[in-house]
């Protein structure tokens, strides 16, 4: 029996974030390259630039998914029947929600390049986590998938 997926999203790093780390890696490689002939002149570029690309891709490998009766965000999952109120947090309210209003016991999957958040209350009396705070580009769809 296959689990039905009602929502799936990967929190990819947006294109405009890529140039700065790649430029920093190129500058670091150039620093190592300066004044050295032979292998040490090109080896830093071969190592640092692909390594930077791998790190950026890994940063964007986080998945948010509602399938098989569970909410999965990052490495954690929780059954939908243990979830309560779902609240969409607008991008302009993100700073307060992630700052002074954030409960330290909350489970957070936050990516700075994703502007909107969804807060999902946890109704499990055995779980010390009061809610999950999840970054998503499609908050309405995620909220609908959790509620259904």
């Amino acid at each position: 029996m296959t689990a039905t997926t009602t929502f799936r999203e990967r929190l990819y790093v947006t294109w405009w974030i890529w140039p700065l780390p790649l430029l920093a890696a190129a500058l670091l490689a150039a620093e190592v390259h300066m004044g050295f002939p032979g292998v040490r002149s090109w080896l830093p570029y071969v190592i640092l630039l692909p390594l930077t690309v791998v790190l950026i891709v890994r940063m964007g490998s986080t998945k948010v998914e509602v399938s098989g009766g569970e909410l999965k965000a990052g490495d954690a999952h929780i059954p939908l029947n243990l979830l309560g109120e779902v609240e969409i947090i607008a991008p302009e309210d993100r700073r307060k929600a992630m700052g002074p209003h954030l409960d330290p016991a909350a489970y957070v999957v936050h990516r700075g390049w994703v502007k909107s958040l969804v807060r999902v209350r946890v109704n499990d009396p055995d779980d010390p986590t009061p809610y999950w705070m999840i970054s998503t580009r499609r908050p309405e769809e995620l909220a609908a998938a959790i509620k259904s």
Side-chain angles (χ1 to χ4, degrees), residues 3 5 7-9 62-80 83 107 109 132 134 142 146:
T5 300
F7 179 87
R8 178 179 290 151
E9 178 180 23
T62 304
K63 292 180 194 170
V64 177
E65 184 176 341
V66 177
S67 67
E70 286 187 327
L71 169 62
K72 301 170 187 169
D75 295 331
H77 57 92
I78 187 169
L80 294 176
L83 300 177
Y107 176 71
V109 177
W132 284 23
I134 305 168
L142 177 57
I146 293 170

Side-chain angles (χ1 to χ4, degrees), residues 66 80 83-88 140-148:
V66 177
L80 294 176
L83 300 177
E85 177 190 353
V86 179
E87 178 185 358
I88 295 173
E140 291 83 13
E141 289 179 43
L142 177 57
I146 293 170
K147 291 176 186 176
S148 64

Side-chain angles (χ1 to χ4, degrees), residues 3 13 15-16 20 30 33-35 37 39 54 67 94-95 102 111 113 118 122 124 131 135-136 143-144 146:
V13 177
W15 68 269
W16 50 268
L20 189 60
H33 162 243
M34 289 172 54
V39 173
V54 167
S67 67
R94 180 175 63 148
R95 180 164 288 199
L102 182 67
R111 299 297 179 259
W113 54 88
V118 171
V122 176
D124 184 2
Y131 57 85
S135 290
T136 178
I146 293 170

Side-chain angles (χ1 to χ4, degrees), residues 94-124:
R94 180 175 63 148
R95 180 164 288 199
K96 285 182 185 173
M98 290 300 296
H101 297 162
L102 182 67
D103 188 323
Y107 176 71
V108 179
V109 177
H110 178 255
R111 299 297 179 259
W113 54 88
V114 179
K115 300 297 180 197
S116 53
L117 293 167
V118 171
R119 182 181 355 214
V120 184
R121 299 279 174 201
V122 176
N123 290 337
D124 184 2

Side-chain angles (χ1 to χ4, degrees), residues 6-36:
T6 55
F7 179 87
R8 178 179 290 151
E9 178 180 23
R10 186 177 295 262
L11 303 176
Y12 290 111
V13 177
T14 55
W15 68 269
W16 50 268
I17 292 178
W18 284 69
L20 189 60
L22 289 173
L23 178 64
L27 286 173
L28 182 61
E31 286 289 327
V32 174
H33 162 243
M34 289 172 54
F36 290 112

